Amino acid sequence: MALLALDWGTSSLRGALLAADGTVIEERSFARGILTVEKGGFPALFDSLFGDWMQPGTLCLIAGMAGSQQGWLEAPYCPCPAGFAEIAAGLAWVDQNRIAIVPGLSIEKQGTPDVMRGEETQLFGALQRLGLHDACMVLPGTHSKWVTVTDRRVTDFSTWMTGEFYALLREHSILARTMPAFSSTNNAAQTPALEPAAFEQGVAHALRGDGLLHTAFSTRTLSLFKRLPEEALPSYLSGLVIGEELKCQTLPSGQTVVIIGSETLTVRYALALRQIGVPVQCVDGSAAWYGLRAIADTLNHQ
Amino acid sequence: MALLALDWGTSSLRGALLAADGTVIEERSFARGILTVEKGGFPALFDSLFGDWMQPGTLCLIAGMAGSQQGWLEAPYCPCPAGFAEIAAGLAWVDQNRIAIVPGLSIEKQGTPDVMRGEETQLFGALQRLGLHDACMVLPGTHSKWVTVTDRRVTDFSTWMTGEFYALLREHSILARTMPAFSSTNNAAQTPALEPAAFEQGVAHALRGDGLLHTAFSTRTLSLFKRLPEEALPSYLSGLVIGEELKCQTLPSGQTVVIIGSETLTVRYALALRQIGVPVQCVDGSAAWYGLRAIADTLNHQ
């Protein structure tokens, strides 16, 4: 049975047509995140972009913000611990046995909820692809997720606003004044060429420092005292925020950390984790397709 | 001898005419921070705003960013440890024995410099006013300073970007989306009425949490799960960032913390410090006048 796999996020929409064995037959992507879709406009947009892939018997599974309150159909969060069975049971059916939205995950700790939506599909895909039952995973991004998997179920996770803090400091803070110009319309400028030495200096300073509220200011003073050139400051700041994120984790000694995401970010997390002696394994964004294929297979076996 | 005391910052300019005993004879303030003054325009602006106060024999001392590279005359940072004598020796004279700029302070730790400019005058004023020789002080602000004073000299200090992080998260982050509208032209909106219960909840969550990169996200989830009303979110976020700042300090057991600044901020720091059982003493912004008077007296006694 063919599977139409969609990753429908806030600002982008990716789709893949997968064969029964998981092979990607074709891929499409559009700048049609849920924020660009008017209320009630999801079915028509779906038909226009992917209707030709929906042959009789084709199943479509959709991961990401399409399942949020502002999306196509709300798929309530699945409370952890959760694995393939809980996700399959929590599917929100837009069209019974034809189109379904994958639920996000939630967890409650110390009276405070945490959530993910979209990342669950990627991490289940990585589990499937690597054949893992237990894992410590990180999904870097605007809001990074650290995830503990035990016996193929998510038993713990937490959200880290690292990417967003970086962008705020890079674009809007006093630190931006001494950095090369930032252009929000230019992705290359947003993530300038990495300078590994400056990045590692940032990671090291965060690890030995007293906290990001303080260490962030070193980006300014190192510039003021001409200890770092302008071009190196974005890499240094990136090292500071990622180093801070790592410093706050309790990493099981000797365990490999699985890093899931686009190369721009996985490269940085791999550098920082290796800097503190943690072995890593990287999985790219195709993990979402493996995840949706595995969820579809779970359905077929029920 | 009368003293013309100026606090000339980035965005504002305050002046006071002080009698020999420190009494404030008159005060003036203008929206003429150094960013509004063109290169070479400082002497003429000074004459137009304060010329009538400069009688024969009057000394003028200026604290703040007027001593930076972009100011009237650069007053190089005075390295710590530094007290009244070092500050007096480091004055940058615009007009010998008539108009001088107070130097900021610098310190170097772990290969990283830290600086202050303007706060040194306030903290020396607070020392003078309270008759203290040793103190642990905090000057809350966009960039808060934590200061250790030993025998009337600054022996250690550090900068915390707490106020700026708050503003970035409050105005530009995803957290802003579920908060009451933020207006950068309206100071009252920037610091909305404090809701003490939500503020204390934020402080408590930061203190027991794993770091601001993670705890900040709780502002979103508490809103998403309707555990906190919109109006309480800014106070909660303020508690989170100030709580994080406190969590990172090593506070000497039982020692009073002196809080120096405007009431809006000192109230919050006092609440948070009392919440963790630390005794506090507050000093308002007039500390700058005491500081400049004390520096002038140091000059007279040399």
Side-chain angles (χ1 to χ4, degrees):
Chain A
M1 193 185 68
L3 174 70
L4 203 178
L6 291 196
D7 178 6
W8 205 333
T10 303
S11 54
S12 70
L13 167 58
R14 297 190 305 143
L17 187 61
L18 306 182
D21 67 353
T23 311
V24 174
I25 301 168
E26 194 182 340
E27 282 187 289
R28 293 175 185 169
S29 66
F30 305 95
R32 294 306 307 266
I34 66 159
L35 293 181
T36 73
V37 187
E38 64 196 13
K39 202 171 154 64
F42 286 90
L45 183 63
F46 174 79
D47 283 341
S48 74
L49 301 178
F50 299 104
D52 59 318
W53 283 356
M54 285 299 286
Q55 301 303 317
T58 302
L59 174 69
C60 172
L61 291 181
I62 306 173
M65 294 303 282
S68 70
Q69 283 171 15
Q70 293 75 39
W72 189 344
L73 176 70
E74 187 174 358
Y77 293 107
C78 204
C80 286
F84 291 93
E86 287 81 2
I87 290 277
L91 290 173
W93 290 95
V94 169
D95 188 349
Q96 197 61 39
N97 296 327
R98 208 163 155 264
I99 304 175
I101 297 179
V102 175
L105 301 184
S106 66
I107 196 166
E108 174 116 5
K109 286 181 285 187
Q110 299 178 320
T112 310
D114 206 337
V115 293
M116 67 166 72
R117 200 182 271 289
E119 293 91 349
E120 73 295 326
T121 300
Q122 292 182 49
L123 78 88
F124 282 121
L127 277 189
Q128 194 72 2
R129 187 163 164 190
L130 302 175
L132 295 174
H133 283 245
D134 304 296
C136 172
M137 300 177 144
V138 59
L139 297 97
T142 304
H143 298 164
S144 296
K145 309 290 179 184
W146 280 83
V147 182
T148 305
V149 174
T150 311
D151 200 16
R152 286 165 61 86
R153 297 170 88 212
V154 174
T155 48
D156 193 13
F157 76 86
S158 57
T159 301
W160 299 76
M161 294 179 67
T162 311
E164 184 158 8
F165 272 60
Y166 175 75
L168 291 169
L169 293 168
R170 173 75 181 90
E171 187 173 4
H172 297 292
S173 80
I174 193 175
L175 308 180
R177 292 191 202 162
T178 48
M179 292 194 195
F182 174 92
S183 161
S184 59
T185 56
N186 183 342
N187 279 327
Q190 199 164 348
T191 48
L194 185 66
E195 298 206 9
F199 178 82
E200 286 177 12
Q201 186 181 340
V203 171
H205 191 59
L207 292 174
R208 70 171 173 248
D210 294 324
L212 185 62
L213 289 175
H214 172 55
T215 57
F217 194 64
S218 67
T219 314
R220 177 153 179 80
T221 56
L222 289 172
S223 162
L224 193 65
F225 287 76
K226 307 204 187 312
R227 307 266 180 92
L228 270 180
E230 270 197 11
E231 314 80 65
L233 295 176
S235 293
Y236 177 76
L237 178 62
S238 178
L240 278 183
V241 295
I242 292 173
E244 178 80 5
E245 183 182 327
L246 295 193
K247 187 189 177 190
C248 297
Q249 308 307 318
T250 311
L251 296 174
S253 174
Q255 193 179 348
T256 294
V257 171
V258 178
I259 312 173
I260 307 167
S262 69
E263 198 189 328
T264 316
L265 283 174
T266 55
V267 161
R268 292 174 187 226
Y269 278 72
L271 265 180
L273 281 161
R274 288 198 188 106
Q275 195 172 332
I276 57 172
V278 174
V280 301
Q281 187 163 18
C282 294
V283 180
D284 69 20
S286 68
W289 306 153
Y290 284 86
L292 290 170
R293 183 75 257 174
I295 295 166
D297 291 343
T298 303
L299 278 181
N300 293 338
H301 293 136
Q302 282 177 338
Chain B
M1 193 183 69
L3 174 69
L4 203 178
L6 291 195
D7 179 6
W8 205 334
T10 304
S11 55
S12 70
L13 168 58
R14 296 189 306 142
L17 187 61
L18 306 181
D21 67 354
T23 311
V24 175
I25 301 167
E26 194 182 338
E27 283 188 288
R28 293 174 185 169
S29 68
F30 306 93
R32 294 306 307 268
I34 66 159
L35 293 181
T36 73
V37 186
E38 65 196 10
K39 203 171 152 66
F42 286 91
L45 183 62
F46 174 79
D47 283 341
S48 74
L49 301 178
F50 299 104
D52 58 318
W53 284 354
M54 285 299 285
Q55 300 303 316
T58 302
L59 175 69
C60 173
L61 292 181
I62 306 172
M65 295 302 283
S68 70
Q69 283 171 15
Q70 292 75 39
W72 189 344
L73 176 69
E74 186 174 0
Y77 293 107
C78 203
C80 286
F84 290 94
E86 288 82 1
I87 290 277
L91 289 173
W93 289 95
V94 169
D95 188 349
Q96 198 61 40
N97 297 326
R98 210 166 152 264
I99 304 175
I101 296 179
V102 176
L105 302 183
S106 66
I107 196 165
E108 175 116 4
K109 286 181 286 188
Q110 299 177 317
T112 310
D114 205 337
V115 293
M116 68 166 72
R117 201 181 271 289
E119 293 92 347
E120 73 296 327
T121 301
Q122 291 181 49
L123 79 88
F124 283 121
L127 277 187
Q128 195 72 4
R129 187 165 162 191
L130 302 175
L132 295 173
H133 283 245
D134 304 297
C136 172
M137 299 176 147
V138 59
L139 297 96
T142 304
H143 298 163
S144 297
K145 307 291 179 183
W146 280 83
V147 182
T148 304
V149 175
T150 311
D151 199 17
R152 286 166 62 85
R153 297 170 88 211
V154 173
T155 48
D156 193 12
F157 77 86
S158 57
T159 301
W160 299 76
M161 293 179 68
T162 311
E164 185 159 7
F165 272 60
Y166 174 75
L168 291 169
L169 293 167
R170 173 77 181 88
E171 187 173 4
H172 296 291
S173 80
I174 193 175
L175 309 181
R177 292 191 203 164
T178 48
M179 291 193 197
F182 175 90
S183 161
S184 60
T185 56
N186 183 342
N187 278 327
Q190 198 163 351
T191 50
L194 185 66
E195 297 205 10
F199 178 82
E200 286 177 12
Q201 187 182 341
V203 171
H205 191 61
L207 291 173
R208 69 171 173 248
D210 293 324
L212 185 64
L213 289 175
H214 172 55
T215 58
F217 194 64
S218 67
T219 314
R220 178 154 177 80
T221 55
L222 290 172
S223 163
L224 194 64
F225 286 77
K226 308 207 186 309
R227 307 267 180 93
L228 270 181
E230 270 198 8
E231 314 80 63
L233 295 175
S235 294
Y236 177 76
L237 178 61
S238 177
L240 278 182
V241 294
I242 292 173
E244 178 82 4
E245 184 183 327
L246 295 192
K247 187 188 178 191
C248 297
Q249 308 305 318
T250 312
L251 297 175
S253 173
Q255 193 179 349
T256 294
V257 170
V258 178
I259 311 172
I260 307 168
S262 69
E263 199 190 326
T264 315
L265 283 174
T266 56
V267 161
R268 292 174 186 226
Y269 278 72
L271 265 180
L273 281 161
R274 289 199 187 106
Q275 195 172 333
I276 57 172
V278 174
V280 301
Q281 185 163 20
C282 294
V283 180
D284 69 21
S286 68
W289 306 152
Y290 284 87
L292 291 170
R293 181 77 257 175
I295 295 165
D297 292 343
T298 304
L299 279 180
N300 292 338
H301 293 136
Q302 280 177 342

